[in-house]
């Protein structure tokens, strides 16, 4: 025991003590109890005192850990309002069919996971039977984030209630024929069932928090009252190691999201072994969540442990449970009673005596079977308590055995995540354990049968009645018949068509100006959801603060320092802007919730998320894949884009590759507009396609990625007849002749210069140099989307395989264009090279490959060889190779420009 005189100074020493004598008496009382009754009794009394203080409303720091016992005492558990016997039978059928579908599929080598659902079955069954609200009742229902590896159990339940057939179960992980089931929750692959993709570890918990937060946003802004919706996130204890999984815990508690519950299945195992071999993950998670301000409920032990705790009059059992590491407890679940007596109960005399009071069968029951997560009454009590708690989100830490009911070959084995099948004998043992009416004769040729009690059986009728009472099937994704949003007035888009005249304007600012006009639209303005990660001022968005307000559930409880200024920092409960602070991951989670609101809540919202382009796809591309899977719609805007436009910021800010990553996402329509009028045309068409009247056969479930730049440049007027080219990815901006350039020779060499984004301006400068100094006529093309050009060409290639003849747009656009083609961008050459194989002319490219660097724009472009003079030399080199100019001109140009 620590000597009281050795206690280190604390912050309390800085506070006035109005009665030091009284303080000394309290301390002396604690010392006396410790001496007389022991440190454990003293600690118990202190905790009881703190508990009373908290219950009385005294402002005291909370303990971060509690004992390794259930939060809800057995005596306080409410009775289940339902037929527990029928629910037990339903769970048994679902356990069986989940294991059967994976085992049957294993002969095709497609894999699957059995052990996760086996451990978590009652976590789902209890929710489906009593808590999860469906979408056919009032409101939007609940939002369920299902743990990805538990998907076979969800399919098994859908089979039992008639939503899936045997044929579909037999095509688990075999989707290409059309009847298959995706491996995990994938809305794009099974859009009537799954709402949220969750199997990319860590994204489920992050998205669940922001979904709960977005629900509050919709309600507070009076878009739709979704206050009855509850968000449930089912997670694994190993998954919580992902940084995204815990990144927003403070946000959830700060905003009081009591419409959110995490259910963490603590089976103490991850894919390769124990989650915390030498530690206790439940205690670690409890401290983490309590420290973040969450309500924590621990559901660890089943009813068989009640007798043990009653016998533990000295507290030795509780102390022992707090010190045994997880890996050792996992071992207990696989060993006999003698081993447990020696290694668990043999640690101190009080435990030895306790062990003598227990039979071997009782020890085996407690250490091998009896966990809180395997008893519906314990789970039911935890869920009730979670929904009753107000003012903070709740996390339920549920202890289970991974592979529970699958037999000795599975339970608590390190390798059970990779084990894909049971033998016939193991299935028969499982059948007997679950008391299922499946005969030996049903195992034909060694094939395990599916089990079903019949469409009119008591189990199925009960299941369907419970779901009807809760608002319909779950999980389910609803496709709402939403009326197309009216198109905004053309005035907002047309303002860019006349150009900026002598004024220079960066395309980042052009986009922000467009949004400023669109949010004022009477019909659709309120549906815009501006999202920004603490860079609104960088992007010139601060003028939106006072007009739209920044969303905060608390409003503005302070007087902002800039209140006397026109563009002051205004927070409001009905604010429209989501200013997320420095978190691209959180901002993307916001975007996903808003982008799928048309399905989740039947409300079409138009999110635009603007960010440093370098910190979007590179940092959060996994979430953008999740967005595509979730069929989200909206506008991602990579601002301050390009490798050379963000002067002075250096290597980790210089984006030379985001369009490459964006091109890998089939749902992303990626554009690199050069001029303000191109932005207007792209956004206008995006609103039509995603929210308005889409063309027949046009996929509405897409999102747009636009790169915009911070370099102020003159914005030209919109040429006539270019809209199709803007949207398809390429159009001729001008010719040497239409640009008014004087090319002396009538048969002057000609070249086609393709530029995207800010590179168009260096290309136009090069066009002028080529004409005036080298007698070369250059036509300049604006390549708004290298990726869309490539996709169109790929579709043309696929059409050939079907016996159809189709010419790629890139080939049609460049048809008849004289001379070679030189493509230029502020990205790595891989970006413009996407179209190379479909260009019939001689093709070459320039780009900014390699790491970025800090310097002026001009110096950076010279470094990467993409400035106007470098373009001229590259163009001359192309023409020289074709024999259209003398080779000496290339050397002369290099020397003239100092290259």
């Amino acid at each position: 025991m620590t000597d009281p005189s050795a206690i280190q100074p604390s912050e309390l020493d800085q506070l006035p003590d109005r009665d030091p004598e009284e303080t000394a008496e309290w301390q002396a009382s604690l010392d006396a109890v410790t001496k007389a009754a022991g440190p454990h009794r003293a600690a118990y009394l202190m905790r009881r005192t703190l508990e009373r203080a908290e219950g009385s409303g005294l402002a005291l720091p909370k303990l971060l850990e509690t004992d390794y016992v259930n939060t809800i005492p057995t005596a306080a558990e409410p009775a289940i309002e339902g037929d527990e016997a029928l629910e037990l039978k339903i769970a048994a059928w679902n356990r069986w069919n989940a294991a059967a579908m994976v085992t049957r599929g294993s002969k095709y080598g497609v894999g699957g996971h059995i052990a996760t659902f086996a451990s978590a079955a009652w976590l789902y069954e209890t929710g489906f039977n009593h808590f999860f609200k469906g979408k056919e009742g009032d409101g939007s229902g609940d939002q369920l984030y299902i743990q990805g590896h538990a998907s076979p159990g969800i399919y098994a339940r859908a089979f039992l209630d008639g939503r899936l057939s045997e044929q579909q179960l037999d095509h688990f992980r075999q989707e290409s024929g059309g009847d298959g089931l995706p491996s995990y929750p994938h809305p794009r692959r099974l859009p009537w069932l799954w709402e949220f993709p969750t199997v990319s570890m860590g994204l489920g918990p992050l998205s669940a928090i922001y979904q709960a937060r977005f629900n509050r946003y919709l309600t507070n802004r009076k878009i739709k009252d979704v206050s009855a919706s509850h968000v449930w996130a089912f997670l694994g204890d190993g998954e919580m190691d992902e940084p995204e999984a815990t990144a927003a815990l403070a946000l959830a508690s700060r905003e009081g999201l009591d419409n959110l519950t995490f259910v963490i299945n603590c089976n103490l195992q991850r894919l390769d072994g124990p989650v915390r071999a030498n530690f206790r993950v439940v205690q670690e998670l409890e401290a983490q969540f309590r420290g973040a301000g969450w309500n924590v409920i621990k559901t660890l032990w089943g009813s068989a442990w009640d007798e043990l705790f009653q016998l533990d009059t000295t507290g030795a059992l509780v102390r022992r449970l707090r010190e045994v590491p997880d890996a050792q407890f996992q071992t207990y679940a696989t060993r006999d009673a003698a081993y447990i007596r020696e290694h668990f109960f043999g640690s101190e005399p009080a435990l030895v005596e306790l062990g003598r009071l227990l039979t071997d069968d009782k020890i085996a029951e407690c250490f091998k079977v009896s966990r809180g997560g395997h008893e519906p009454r314990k789970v039911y009590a935890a869920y009730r308590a979670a929904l009753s708690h107000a003012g903070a989100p709740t996390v339920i830490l549920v202890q289970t055995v991974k592979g529970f009911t699958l037999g000795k070959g599975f339970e608590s084995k390190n390798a059970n995540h990779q084990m894909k099948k049971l033998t016939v004998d193991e299935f028969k043992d499982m059948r007997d354990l679950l008391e299922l009416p499946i005969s030996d004769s049903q195992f034909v040729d060694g094939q395990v049968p599916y089990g079903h009690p019949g469409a009119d059986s008591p189990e199925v009728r009960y299941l369907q009645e419970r779901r009807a009472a809760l608002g319909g099937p779950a999980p389910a994704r609803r496709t709402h018949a939403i009326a197309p949003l009216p198109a905004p007035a053309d005035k907002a888009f047309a303002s860019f068509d006349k150009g900026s005249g002598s004024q220079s304007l960066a395309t980042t600012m052009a986009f922000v100006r467009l949004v400023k006009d669109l949010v004022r639209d009477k019909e659709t303005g309120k549906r815009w959801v501006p999202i920004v990660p603490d860079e609104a001022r960088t992007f010139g968005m601060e003028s939106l603060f006072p007009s739209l307000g920044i969303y905060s559930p608390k409003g503005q409880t302070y007087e902002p320092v800039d209140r006397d200024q026109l563009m002051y920092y205004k927070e409001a409960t009905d604010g429209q802007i989501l200013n997320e602070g420095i978190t691209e991951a959180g901002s993307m989670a916001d975007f996903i919730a808003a982008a799928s609101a048309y399905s989740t809540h039947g409300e079409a919202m138009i999110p635009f998320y603007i960010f440093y382009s370098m910190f979007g796809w590179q940092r959060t591309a996994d979430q953008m894949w999740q967005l595509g899977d979730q069929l989200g719609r909206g506008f991602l805007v990579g601002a301050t884009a390009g490798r050379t436009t963000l002067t002075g910021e250096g290597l980790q800010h210089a984006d030379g590759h985001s369009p490459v990553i964006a091109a890998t996402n089939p749902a992303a329509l990626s554009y690199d507009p050069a001029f303000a009028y191109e932005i207007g045309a792209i956004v206008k068409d995006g609103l039509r396609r995603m929210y308005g009247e889409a063309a027949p056969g046009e996929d509405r479930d897409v999102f747009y990625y636009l790169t915009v730049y911070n370099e102020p440049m003159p914005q030209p007027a919109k040429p006539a007849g270019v809209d199709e080219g803007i949207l398809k990815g390429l159009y001729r901006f001008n010719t040497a002749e239409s640009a008014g350039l004087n090319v002396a020779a009538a048969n002057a060499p000609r070249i086609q210069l393709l530029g995207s984004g800010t590179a168009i301006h260096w290309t136009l400068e090069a066009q002028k140099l080529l004409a005036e100094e080298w007698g070369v006529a250059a036509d300049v093309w604006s390549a708004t989307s290298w990726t869309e050009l490539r996709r169109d060409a790929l579709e043309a290639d696929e059409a050939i395989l079907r016996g159809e003849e189709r010419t790629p747009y890139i080939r049609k656009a460049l048809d008849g264009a004289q001379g070679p083609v030189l493509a230029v961008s502020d990205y790595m050459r891989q970006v413009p090279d996407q179209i190379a194989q479909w260009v019939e002319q001689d093709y070459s490219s320039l780009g900014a490959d390699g790491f970025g660097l800090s310097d002026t724009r001009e110096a950076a472009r010279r470094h990467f060889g993409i400035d106007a003079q470098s373009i001229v030399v590259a163009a001359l080199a192309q023409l020289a190779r074709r024999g259209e100019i003398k080779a000496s001109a290339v050397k002369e140009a290099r020397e003239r420009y100092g290259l």
Side-chain angles (χ1 to χ4, degrees), residues 210 316 359 457 460 624 654 670:
Y210 280 89
T359 66
S457 64
V460 173
M624 292 161 180
S670 180

Side-chain angles (χ1 to χ4, degrees), residues 478-511:
R478 181 182 293 178
T479 302
H480 297 267
I482 302 175
L485 295 183
D490 279 341
K491 182 179 179 182
F493 306 103
S495 63
F496 292 137
D497 292 353
K498 61 184 179 182
S500 63
S502 59
Q503 179 187 8
S504 291
L505 181 70
T507 50
T508 295
M509 185 54 67
F511 181 85

Side-chain angles (χ1 to χ4, degrees), residues 675-695:
F675 304 123
Y677 67 78
E678 294 177 352
I679 292 174
I682 294 165
V683 171
K684 181 178 181 180
D685 192 68
L687 291 172
R688 174 201 62 79
R689 177 170 179 172
M690 295 184 291
Y691 302 98
E693 298 284 357

